[in-house]
Amino acid sequence: MLDRRKVVFGLSTATLATATLATLVPTSLWAAASIKPDEASALLVIDVQNCFLPGGSLAVKEGEQVVPVINKISKGFANVVMTQDWHTPGHISFASVHSGKKPFETVDLPYGKQVLWPDHCVQGTDGASLSKDLAIPHAELIIRKGFHKDVDSYSAFLEADGKTSTGLAGYLKGRKIKRVFVAGLATDFCVAWTALDARKAGFETYVVEDACRGIDTQGSLAKAWADMAKAGVKRIQSGDIAA
Ligand code: VGL
Ligand code: ZN
């Protein structure tokens, strides 16, 4: 027979211990491994390509640091999709094709404001290759984007005209994916635009902050996090994900 008083006592002790721990343990530790990717979850590894890594033409500060973090969390995912920025030579997003313009300046294009970049991720070049240090042999799909010469595509879902689909939402829905976890480069461009479009397409969306690095030009990083928070994107750390 259970002694009712003992059960009640035991419970309240546990509750007290929980409350005490919650005040003493930093949130990052307390929340450790609380999210377990399931069959309906996919990891989206965005643009971990040589051009965005040290020595690349559009190197993202500390970009290489995302690689071991992404390799580690990828082990917990049955479904992994990677993306590759994949521009034509002379792509409209390159400053070099706009006379008098320099990288990181902007131009107005028919689909909106476009930040101009150094030439990067040209189709078939070494700079466009995925990092050789990625170790995710179980990734199931590599989606290329930005291959229309006159339209950029930060997002893995929709090109910058806001309407041309890459097919990724259809693919994920066809595979019964409900949740996406976004990691890679760069936080404030391709990661953020992908996460925002994932929300618009109806996916529960997480961005794994320490598995991303940003470019941060003209306040872009703070704006990206604000836009993502407003859209209901959940900001987590790699340690929050169960391996
Ligand atoms: C990216 C700028 C230009 C990115 C791609 O991967 O975030 N940023 N093209
Ligand atoms: Zn690009």
Side-chain angles (χ1 to χ4, degrees):
M1 256 290 268
L2 273 175
D3 178 336
R4 216 173 155 62
R5 269 179 320 163
K6 262 202 194 123
V7 173
V8 170
F9 179 69
L11 258 183
S12 54
T13 309
T15 309
L16 187 66
T18 305
T20 311
L21 265 177
T23 51
L24 293 178
V25 180
T27 325
S28 56
L29 282 180
W30 183 248
S34 56
I35 304 164
K36 178 110 190 107
D38 60 8
E39 281 298 314
S41 304
L43 176 65
L44 308 183
V45 179
I46 305 300
D47 298 1
V48 183
Q49 293 167 264
N50 295 335
C51 274
F52 299 121
L53 295 168
S57 60
L58 181 41
V60 179
K61 191 164 175 261
E62 299 180 351
E64 77 287 359
Q65 294 185 19
V66 306
V67 176
V69 182
I70 291 172
N71 286 342
K72 186 169 180 201
I73 60 175
S74 74
K75 294 185 174 35
F77 285 84
N79 309 295
V80 182
V81 172
M82 306 207 259
T83 68
Q84 252 179 323
D85 211 33
W86 199 249
H87 298 309
T88 57
H91 190 258
I92 196 146
S93 72
F94 297 171
S96 60
V97 304
H98 300 267
S99 63
K101 289 285 184 182
K102 291 200 281 295
F104 305 101
E105 293 179 354
T106 58
V107 281
D108 291 310
L109 293 180
Y111 56 81
K113 203 175 273 306
Q114 171 74 49
V115 181
L116 297 174
W117 306 107
D119 288 22
H120 67 279
C121 296
V122 173
Q123 298 171 2
T125 62
D126 184 57
S129 297
L130 294 169
S131 166
K132 64 170 179 18
D133 298 323
L134 281 173
I136 319 178
H138 62 295
E140 293 148 344
L141 175 72
I142 298 172
I143 193 148
R144 290 171 169 172
K145 60 185 180 61
F147 48 76
H148 289 129
K149 193 169 188 166
D150 296 325
V151 190
D152 205 358
S153 187
Y154 297 143
S155 163
F157 290 94
L158 285 182
E159 299 190 18
D161 62 3
K163 51 177 192 257
T164 307
S165 172
T166 63
L168 181 58
Y171 168 85
L172 293 172
K173 284 176 185 177
R175 299 227 25 236
K176 307 229 176 338
I177 299 297
K178 304 247 179 298
R179 271 172 291 289
V180 297
F181 293 71
V182 192
L185 305 170
T187 319
D188 38 351
F189 290 93
C190 293
V191 168
W193 287 49
T194 296
L196 292 169
D197 281 347
R199 289 294 299 139
K200 285 190 200 139
F203 297 100
E204 189 180 330
T205 308
Y206 299 81
V207 168
V208 190
E209 184 171 12
D210 60 323
C212 302
R213 288 294 184 281
I215 294 173
D216 203 10
T217 173
Q218 297 161 39
S220 56
L221 190 58
K223 183 179 184 311
W225 282 119
D227 291 347
M228 289 192 281
K230 201 167 149 199
V233 173
K234 294 172 182 143
R235 180 176 183 168
I236 62 168
Q237 307 302 315
S238 60
D240 299 335
I241 303 171

